[in-house]
Amino acid sequence: MSSTKVLPHPVAPSVTPAQSHALPRSLIGLMATGAGLSVASLYYSQPMLGVLAGDIGASGQATGLVPTLTQLGYALGILLLAPLGDRHDRHNIMLIKAAVLVLALLLAGLSPSLAVLLPASLLIGLSATLAQDIVPVAATLAAEAERGKVVGTVMTGLLTGILLSRVISGVVAEQYGWRAMFFIAAASILCIGLAIRRYLPRFQPSTTLPYHALLGSLLGLWRQHRALRRAAIAQGLLSVGFSAFWSTLAIMLHASPFHMGSAAAGAFGLAGAAGALAAPLAGHLADRKGPEVVTRAGAALAAMAFVMLSLAPMLSLNTQLGLLAAGAVLFDLGVQASLIAHQAVIYRIDPAARSRLNAVLFVCMFIGMSLGSVLASMLLAGYGWSAVTGFAALASLLALLVRCRR
C-alpha cells in the first residue's frame, strides 16, 4: 500500500497501525483535550433550553428536539462515519470534522429560529464524532505496554467533557447568554483543529474496502469476534445504569423533599467527574493485570454503588445528599474503568479494524444509554427513585454476569 504524502508543515511522519512508540505527555494531553471538547459539544444545549426557548420564541416541547437531534446525529455519525477511519487517513478525517463542527456551532449560535437551530444541532452531533476518531488514534500511536494507560487518559478527557459540559454551559448562559456558549465552543474546536493539523501525524489506511463493504463489515466483526460481543453487551448494560441515573437526577432533586434547582444537579456532575479522573489508573491496571480483572471489578463496583443508592430514601436529607455524591463517584469510576478495559480488549482483536471495532462498542453503548434514559423516566414517574436505582443495579449485575460467564 502506498504511503500518504506528508504536509510541509512540521508534523510527525506517517504511521501505520502497527507502528507505535512512547508518546510525549503533550501529545496525550492534546488528544484528551480534543476528545473532551468535541464530545462536550453534544451537551452544551441541555442546561440552556429554558433560556433558549424564550429567546427564539419556541415552546419547551419543541426546543426539547435540540438535544434529541444532537444525540441522533452523534449516533448516526458513529455508525456511518467512524468506520471511515480504517479506510482513509484519520488525520484528514479529523480536520474535516473539526471544520464542520466549528461551522455547525457558529450556525447554532447565530440561529434566528428553531428551524435553523435544529439542523445545526443534527450537524453538531454528526461532526462531534471527532472524539471517536481521536480514541483509535491514541490506541494506534501508543506502545503496546502503555496502550491501556494512554487510552485511559484520553478517555478521561472525553468523559470529563461529558460531565462538565452541562455545568460550564449553565454558568456561561446565565452570565453571557446562550449564544455565547456556542461561540466559545466554536473557538475551542478551532484551536483543537489547528493543533491536530500541526502535531498529529498522518495515518496510512488499513483497508481498501469500499464504503458499503466497510459498513457491512461491522456485522461481520460482530459475528466473528466473541470478545467484541461480550465487551459491547457488557458495556451497553453498564451504560443503561449510567444513563438512568444522570437522566433522572435533576428531576428527582427538583421534586420533594429536596426542591433543588438545575445548579444542584450540575454540582453532582462534578462528583461524577471525580470518578472519571481515575480512568488512567484503570488503563494502567488493564495493562498490568489484564482487562478481564478490571471489567469485572468495574461492573461489581457499579452494581454496589447503585444498590447503596437505592437505600438513600430511607435516610435523612443531608445523608441522602452525601450518599448521592459518593454513589456518583463510585459507579462512575466503575463504568469508566470497565469502558477503558473493554477498549483494551477490542483494540487487541484486529489493529487494522480499530475504528470499526470502536464504532461497534460505542453504538451498543448509545443503545444502552437511550434505553436507560427512557425506562428510567417511566420508572421514576410510576415507582420513584428507588425503582430507578434498583433498575440500574440490575443492569450492572447483568453486565457482571456477562463478564464472568465463560
Side-chain angles (χ1 to χ4, degrees), residues 37-379:
L37 290 175
S38 300
V39 79
S41 302
L42 300 172
Y43 302 97
Y44 287 137
S45 64
Q46 292 183 2
M48 307 189 298
L49 294 179
V51 178
L52 188 153
D55 189 54
I56 62 176
S59 67
Q61 183 176 1
T63 311
L65 291 173
V66 172
T68 301
L69 284 176
T70 306
Q71 294 289 345
L72 176 62
Y74 193 67
L76 290 174
I78 291 176
L79 180 62
L80 302 177
L81 300 180
L84 291 174
D86 293 332
R87 177 65 177 82
H88 301 282
D89 180 6
R90 290 194 187 105
H91 187 272
N92 290 339
I93 292 175
M94 290 188 291
L95 290 180
I96 292 171
K97 286 187 177 180
V100 174
L101 184 53
V102 169
L103 293 176
L105 289 166
L106 290 175
L107 180 61
L110 295 170
S111 296
S113 66
L114 199 61
V116 178
L117 182 58
L118 290 180
S121 299
L122 182 66
L123 195 57
I124 287 172
L126 284 167
S127 51
T129 51
L130 168 63
Q132 297 304 324
D133 295 303
I134 293 176
V135 177
V137 163
T140 299
L141 293 177
E144 180 70 28
E146 64 169 9
R147 181 166 294 135
K149 183 178 180 181
V150 171
V151 171
T153 302
V154 174
M155 287 301 298
T156 295
L158 187 149
L159 299 167
T160 303
I162 293 174
L163 293 167
L164 297 186
S165 55
R166 301 178 182 91
V167 181
I168 295 171
S169 65
V171 173
V172 171
E174 185 175 335
Q175 296 295 324
Y176 306 104
W178 65 273
R179 297 181 188 274
M181 186 64 248
F182 284 117
F183 295 146
I184 293 172
S188 69
I189 299 300
L190 177 61
C191 293
I192 289 299
L194 293 174
I196 288 173
R197 182 177 185 273
R198 181 175 179 84
Y199 295 110
L200 284 185
R202 289 185 175 278
F203 298 84
Q204 292 184 11
S206 57
T207 181
T208 57
L209 288 173
Y211 181 65
H212 69 278
L214 195 68
L215 291 183
S217 68
L218 296 177
L219 182 58
L221 289 170
W222 175 270
R223 291 173 173 172
Q224 182 180 358
H225 300 292
R226 180 173 177 270
L228 174 62
R229 296 194 299 272
R230 290 183 70 200
I233 292 171
Q235 197 62 44
L237 287 167
L238 289 172
S239 299
V240 168
F242 179 89
S243 180
F245 179 90
W246 289 113
S247 63
T248 56
L249 178 65
I251 301 172
M252 187 273 290
L253 291 176
H254 183 73
S256 176
F258 296 104
H259 302 291
M260 293 181 173
S262 57
F268 280 96
L270 296 175
L277 292 176
L281 175 61
H284 181 64
L285 289 175
D287 290 332
R288 295 192 60 187
K289 304 294 185 180
E292 191 66 41
V293 174
V294 180
T295 58
R296 293 177 181 177
L301 187 61
M304 182 183 69
F306 284 125
V307 169
M308 182 177 68
L309 287 171
S310 67
L311 303 176
M314 306 176 187
L315 307 173
S316 65
L317 291 185
N318 288 337
T319 306
Q320 286 187 52
L321 291 174
L323 191 61
L324 283 173
V329 172
L330 290 177
F331 84 74
D332 222 69
L333 173 59
V335 172
Q336 310 316 340
S338 294
L339 175 57
I340 302 306
H342 281 138
Q343 286 179 304
V345 169
I346 67 170
Y347 288 152
R348 294 174 182 176
I349 293 173
D350 184 359
R354 280 184 178 139
S355 290
R356 284 168 286 164
L357 293 167
N358 195 64
V360 172
L361 178 64
F362 274 84
V363 165
C364 288
M365 282 181 57
F366 183 87
I367 292 172
M369 292 179 72
S370 300
L371 288 174
S373 178
V374 172
L375 295 177
S377 298
M378 296 169 60
L379 288 172

Side-chain angles (χ1 to χ4, degrees), residues 226 230 292 296 398-406:
R226 180 173 177 270
R230 290 183 70 200
E292 191 66 41
R296 293 177 181 177
L398 288 174
L400 180 60
L401 180 63
V402 170
R403 292 312 319 178
C404 289
R405 285 193 64 184
R406 290 291 182 183

